[in-house]
Amino acid sequence: MKLFLDSAILSEIEYVYSMGICDGITMNPSLVKKAVDKLKEKGEHVSLEGYIKKALKIAKGTPVSLEVTARDTAGMIVQGKRLFKKFNPTARNVYIKVPVNTSFPEEKGKEFDGILAIKELRKAKIPVNCTLVFTPEQALLAAKAGANFVSPFAGRIDDLLRKENKMKFDKSDYFPIEGLSKGKHLDDNGIVSGVDLIAQTAEIFRIHGIKSEVLAASLRNARQVRECALAGADIATMGFETFKEMATHKLTMDGMVKFTEDSPKEYDDLV
Ligand code: G3P
């Protein structure tokens, strides 16, 4: 399974690539803002274009998703083509991230704007990562329109179920794959947890031989990554903290303390 870093922070990108543990990058406007604000706080002058190009070079040979911000089909196609033209020549690894459905709650008639944009961008041979997917049905439509990656958001489904049940939680808390056993809102239209969303999507793609890759997104802890791997996700994208958590276990630490204490001086001199 491929592991992507969900970040626009160059130092994090450099670090995970230097270790050979990262297969791609996902960015969104919120992550780019976070990275740029951090640099500005330090008084560093930032050209966003140069900054993104640096990230693309580090990730050369692996996909980097850059997101559109327009909410109508024409706007997304224009932005997607512009982003691709401007950034893809740097390392030939740009994927355009398009929301599956861009309508706001009060709007009607925009349900397919994202799907149409995916279709048109793919027609122009631009690789697409379809984002903000919360049901297997949305995933199916995005795949039929030709999206290369389809990104169901696991963590936000867990948030929804916890909020609807008025639970106190931290975003990175583990949420059971099998869902809640008590409460009024046990599922979101048949989806009992974020990992269940990934599992159902991956199973549908498997049964029907759908070629789009399932990119499990909005993952906030290591156990979620493990469960998504078992559920058949092709890719998991996560923040740097989750990469760190994946490398960590208290018994590994205890073992290090013990080995370090026990090691005789003669052995330390040898190694
Ligand atoms: O890749 C999408 C991701 O950035 C969303 O994560 O934690 O804000 O739900 P989160």
Side-chain angles (χ1 to χ4, degrees):
M1 161 147 126
K2 288 172 272 191
L3 301 181
F4 284 12
L5 177 68
D6 195 34
S7 171
I9 297 174
L10 280 185
S11 55
E12 293 181 352
I13 295 173
E14 263 163 357
Y15 198 25
V16 290
Y17 273 89
S18 73
M19 292 181 278
I21 58 174
C22 189
D23 306 296
I25 307 287
T26 47
M27 290 185 195
N28 59 42
S30 317
L31 292 172
V32 172
K33 181 180 180 320
K34 193 171 147 197
V36 170
D37 285 353
K38 222 173 167 182
L39 289 175
K40 283 189 182 154
E41 269 167 32
K42 287 197 229 154
E44 290 183 32
H45 171 74
V46 204
S47 132
L48 192 51
E49 186 174 333
Y51 190 87
I52 292 174
K53 284 182 175 168
K54 273 190 196 161
L56 292 169
K57 280 185 197 153
I58 300 166
K60 195 175 164 98
T62 65
V64 178
S65 297
L66 303 178
E67 189 157 347
V68 295
T69 54
R71 292 182 44 236
D72 61 300
T73 303
M76 284 187 277
I77 294 169
V78 168
Q79 287 186 349
K81 287 185 173 172
R82 204 186 291 150
L83 277 172
F84 194 74
K85 193 168 170 206
K86 190 183 285 287
F87 290 108
N88 195 53
T90 304
R92 308 241 162 251
N93 54 351
V94 170
Y95 279 55
I96 299 300
K97 219 170 166 187
V98 176
V100 66
N101 177 342
T102 52
S103 54
F104 281 13
E106 67 279 8
E107 284 172 342
K108 292 268 180 284
K110 282 172 62 72
E111 292 82 2
F112 295 111
D113 278 34
I115 298 291
L116 276 166
I118 293 168
K119 179 78 190 156
E120 287 305 311
L121 290 170
R122 291 299 296 124
K123 219 197 265 175
K125 302 209 176 333
I126 295 176
V128 170
N129 173 1
C130 176
T131 190
L132 284 172
V133 169
F134 290 95
T135 67
E137 304 85 84
Q138 288 180 320
L140 191 53
L141 293 177
K144 287 186 91 69
N148 306 71
F149 299 153
V150 174
S151 295
F153 276 35
R156 291 193 195 180
I157 286 287
D158 298 341
D159 293 348
L160 174 76
L161 294 169
R162 290 185 280 217
K163 277 185 202 152
E164 285 184 338
N165 286 291
K166 305 202 181 339
M167 294 164 70
K168 281 205 177 119
F169 65 97
D170 186 271
K171 272 177 70 169
S172 61
D173 289 346
Y174 174 73
F175 186 85
I177 183 172
E178 69 280 7
L180 301 168
S181 54
K182 290 192 296 222
K184 274 190 175 172
H185 305 272
L186 297 181
D187 64 59
D188 181 47
N189 197 20
I191 302 291
V192 299
S193 67
V195 176
D196 185 37
L197 168 64
I198 304 297
Q200 291 196 30
T201 305
E203 180 68 354
I204 289 169
F205 282 22
R206 191 190 61 77
I207 292 170
H208 297 283
I210 293 169
K211 295 280 174 281
S212 309
E213 291 185 80
V214 177
L215 193 167
S218 179
L219 303 182
R220 289 91 169 258
N221 58 65
R223 186 163 166 188
Q224 250 179 344
V225 178
R226 179 205 312 165
E227 289 175 348
C228 286
L230 285 167
D234 300 285
I235 306 162
T237 192
M238 71 205 95
F240 185 61
E241 287 307 310
T242 305
F243 268 97
K244 274 204 242 176
E245 195 199 335
M246 284 177 73
T248 308
H249 191 279
K250 63 180 182 322
L251 293 182
T252 310
M253 292 175 186
D254 291 351
M256 277 313 298
V257 171
K258 179 98 178 84
F259 292 155
T260 309
E261 274 170 9
D262 287 351
S263 178
K265 177 156 182 345
E266 294 85 333
Y267 185 74
D268 286 343
D269 290 344
L270 274 179
V271 293

